[in-house]
């Protein structure tokens, strides 16, 4: 190693030239060789793969979507909401408006009757109280007023006022609900006549259903009779209302006007709905079962004949037979009760036999409904649900009144009066489900077109 300035020889430890003093630059020491085998260094570590999907030799593996182009990851889809068919919407609308229409009629009628009776009773009782109070004390006045009220002439006057108020209230109800009734198109059944023998056979079936309904709804009252109601309920005017007024107005409401608007959706739903509504309109367990069973028959007869006069006649016969007990007792005394019971048992036995025979006749078979989904729309509507609630409250309330009335005489045995009420409540909720469970739609070629007026939704 020599000095680059003067060429003087330098030792390895010299940092400056001893001859000229020039600094000596030394080369950096070489790095020691990497240890290896037989003089060959070991290979260095391969560079790390970039983060991502692992692969082979630095190439990522292909994804499942690249291998199978049609593959899509399984993503749970939200549950689809069932779409309501136009048939179901139109049916629910028709049944809701029909329920509202009938409820308005009875609400107006009951309001008119209540107001008129209250005013009439006040006008008759107040003068009696004022006249008796001048000549006697308070207790004597009350006793004399009660004696005057119990007089048959008083009951007759109250019955006449009730009959007039009933007819006027029904007429006013029909007038007020006319706007609702016009919002659903009506289509009456085809008119056909009944032979005399057919009508007699159907009348026997009606008496059989009526007898079965009376037994179901009133069997506890046969064991534990409850006190009779107001005397004017058994007066001649009141009996005329039951025998003449009820068959006319109730058949117009539940058969003529309702079925004309509900029949286009299917016979079975229309018959069951109107019969159940007819039973619930009586608002008590004693009459619910007989009214429901008779409602099934009356609706079927109207659908087969298209003539409301037949159902009015059947209704008149049933109500007149039921009123014979009160009329006979007025004329012949209490001995007529035995004759009436024998008559009822005979008619019921013949009617039950006729019911068994009618099961095999095609005349009494209902055609299947067009659309099962629409069938349920009738019983899920807000109108029918509201009537159900009101009926259940009324049935239970009247059952409790019967129990409280019978406790002083029968004690704990009076609780039996709750059994018909419980049966009625169960029937109100189970009849639609059981009756429509096996409904099947009609073939497509037999389905009728839905009227345009019923397709439009409010």
């Amino acid at each position: 190693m020599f000095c680059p300035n003067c060429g003087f020889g330098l030792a390895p430890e010299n940092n400056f030239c001893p001859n000229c003093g020039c600094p000596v630059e030394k080369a950096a020491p070489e790095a020691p060789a990497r240890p290896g085998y037989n003089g060959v260094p070991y290979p260095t570590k391969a560079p790390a793969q970039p983060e991502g999907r692992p692969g082979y030799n630095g190439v990522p593996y292909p994804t499942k979507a690249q291998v199978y182009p049609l593959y899509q990851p399984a993503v749970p889809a939200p549950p689809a909401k069932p779409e309501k068919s136009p048939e179901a919407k139109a049916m629910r609308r028709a049944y809701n408006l029909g329920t509202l229409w009938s409820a308005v009629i009875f609400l107006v009628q009951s309001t008119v009757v209540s107001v008129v009776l209250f005013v009439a009773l006040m006008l008759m009782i107040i003068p009696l109280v004022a006249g008796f109070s001048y000549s006697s004390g308070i207790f004597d006045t009350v006793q004399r007023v009660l004696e005057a009220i119990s007089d048959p002439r008083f009951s007759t006057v109250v019955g006449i006022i009730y009959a007039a108020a009933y007819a006027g209230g029904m007429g006013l109800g029909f007038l007020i609900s006319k706007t609702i009734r016009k919002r659903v198109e009506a289509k009456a059944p085809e008119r056909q006549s009944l032979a005399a023998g057919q009508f007699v056979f159907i009348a026997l079936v009606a008496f059989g259903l009526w007898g079965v309904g009376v037994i179901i709804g009133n069997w506890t009252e046969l064991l534990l009779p409850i006190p009779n109601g107001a005397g004017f309920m058994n007066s001649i005017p009141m009996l005329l209302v039951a025998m003449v007024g009820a068959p006319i107005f109730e058949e117009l409401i539940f058969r003529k006007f309702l079925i004309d608007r509900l029949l286009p959706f299917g016979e079975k739903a229309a018959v069951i709905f109107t019969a159940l509504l007819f039973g619930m309109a009586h608002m008590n367990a004693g009459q619910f079962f007989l009214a429901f069973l008779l409602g099934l028959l009356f609706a079927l007869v109207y659908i087969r004949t298209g003539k409301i006069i037949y159902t009015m006649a059947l209704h008149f016969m049933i109500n007149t037979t039921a009123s014979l007990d009160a009329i006979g007792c007025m004329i012949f005394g209490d001995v007529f009760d035995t004759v009436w019971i024998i008559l009822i048992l005979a008619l019921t036995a013949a009617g039950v036999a006729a019911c068994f025979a009618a099961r095999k006749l095609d005349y009494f078979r209902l055609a299947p409904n067009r659309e099962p989904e629409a069938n349920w729309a009738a019983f899920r509507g807000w109108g029918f649900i509201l009537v159900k609630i009101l009926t259940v409250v009324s049935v239970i309330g009247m059952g409790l009144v019967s129990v409280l009335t019978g406790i002083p005489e029968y004690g704990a045995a009076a609780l039996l009066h709750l059994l018909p009420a419980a049966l009625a409540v169960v029937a109100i909720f189970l009849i639609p489900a059981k009756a429509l469970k096996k409904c099947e739609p009609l073939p497509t070629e037999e389905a009728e077109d839905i009227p345009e007026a019923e397709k439009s939704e409010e």
Side-chain angles (χ1 to χ4, degrees), residues 83-448:
E83 295 184 0
K84 297 177 182 177
S85 65
E87 177 93 357
K89 292 181 180 179
M91 187 174 185
R92 178 175 291 189
R93 178 174 181 271
Y95 277 65
N96 279 337
L97 291 178
T99 307
L100 178 63
W101 174 73
S102 57
V104 167
I105 291 178
F106 281 100
L107 180 63
V108 173
Q109 180 262 336
S110 60
T111 302
V112 170
V113 169
S114 300
V115 172
V116 170
L117 279 181
F118 177 78
V119 173
L121 289 174
M122 291 298 100
L123 291 177
M124 288 187 290
I125 292 176
I126 290 177
L128 292 176
V129 174
F132 293 146
S133 61
Y134 284 110
S135 58
S136 58
I138 296 178
F139 295 104
D140 291 338
T141 299
V142 173
Q143 183 176 359
R144 295 175 67 180
V145 169
L146 292 177
E147 291 175 355
I149 292 176
S150 61
D151 189 278
R153 293 174 296 178
F154 183 87
S155 299
T156 301
V157 173
V158 174
I160 293 173
I161 295 173
Y162 178 91
Y166 177 87
M170 279 292 185
L172 183 61
F174 274 92
L175 183 62
I176 293 176
S177 62
K178 186 177 181 180
T179 304
I180 302 174
R181 189 172 70 249
K182 286 185 175 180
R183 297 176 65 182
V184 181
E185 183 179 350
K187 183 180 179 182
E190 184 180 353
R191 296 174 67 85
Q192 297 179 3
S193 298
L194 283 176
Q198 287 179 309
F199 183 80
V200 172
F201 179 78
I202 292 174
L204 284 177
V205 173
F207 278 109
L209 295 176
W210 174 67
V212 171
V214 169
I215 293 173
I216 296 175
N218 299 279
W219 68 271
T220 54
E221 294 184 10
L222 298 176
L223 299 175
L224 307 175
I226 59 176
N228 293 326
F232 79 92
M233 295 300 294
N234 292 327
S235 63
I236 295 297
M238 285 297 301
L239 295 175
L240 290 176
V241 169
M243 291 187 296
V244 180
I248 293 175
F249 289 110
E250 291 178 2
E251 291 307 308
L252 287 176
I253 295 172
F254 295 105
R255 254 62 71 178
K256 175 62 179 173
F257 292 112
L258 281 180
I259 290 182
D260 284 358
R261 288 156 178 80
L262 305 181
L263 188 59
F265 300 102
E267 289 183 1
K268 181 171 285 190
V271 168
I272 296 172
F273 183 89
T274 54
L276 196 56
L277 194 62
F278 181 50
M280 292 192 297
H282 290 76
M283 292 291 178
N284 65 83
Q287 293 178 299
F288 167 79
F289 294 99
L290 65 92
F292 170 71
L293 294 175
L294 290 174
L296 294 175
L297 179 65
F298 293 169
L300 183 59
V301 170
Y302 177 68
I303 290 174
R304 294 287 181 265
T305 64
K307 296 181 179 180
I308 197 66
I309 190 65
Y310 289 132
T311 62
M312 287 182 177
L314 293 171
H315 202 153
F316 169 78
M317 293 169 61
I318 295 293
N319 285 13
T320 300
T321 304
S323 303
L324 280 179
D325 185 28
I327 297 175
C329 290
M330 290 180 189
I331 300 174
F332 303 105
D334 294 339
V335 70
F336 187 79
D337 278 340
T338 304
V339 178
W340 183 79
I341 291 175
I342 295 174
L343 174 64
I344 295 303
L345 291 177
L347 286 174
T348 302
V352 170
C355 289
F356 279 101
R359 294 176 57 198
K360 300 180 180 180
L361 300 178
D362 291 336
Y363 186 88
F364 293 94
R365 295 177 187 232
L366 295 171
N369 294 285
R370 294 213 311 248
E371 188 175 341
E373 178 191 351
N375 297 338
W376 285 108
F379 300 96
R380 293 198 304 263
W382 55 264
F384 194 66
I385 292 175
L386 180 60
V387 174
K388 274 187 177 183
I389 295 173
L390 294 176
T391 304
V392 168
V393 172
S394 176
V395 166
I396 295 176
M398 295 191 72
L400 292 175
V401 170
S402 299
V403 170
L404 296 176
T405 306
I407 282 179
E409 186 173 357
Y410 303 108
L415 293 173
L416 289 175
H417 286 299
L418 289 178
L419 291 181
L423 289 176
V425 172
V426 172
I428 287 170
F429 287 99
L430 290 187
I431 284 174
K434 294 296 182 182
L436 295 178
K437 185 177 181 180
K438 297 182 180 180
C439 282
E440 296 179 359
L442 289 175
T444 306
E445 60 269 17
E446 297 183 12
E448 302 175 1

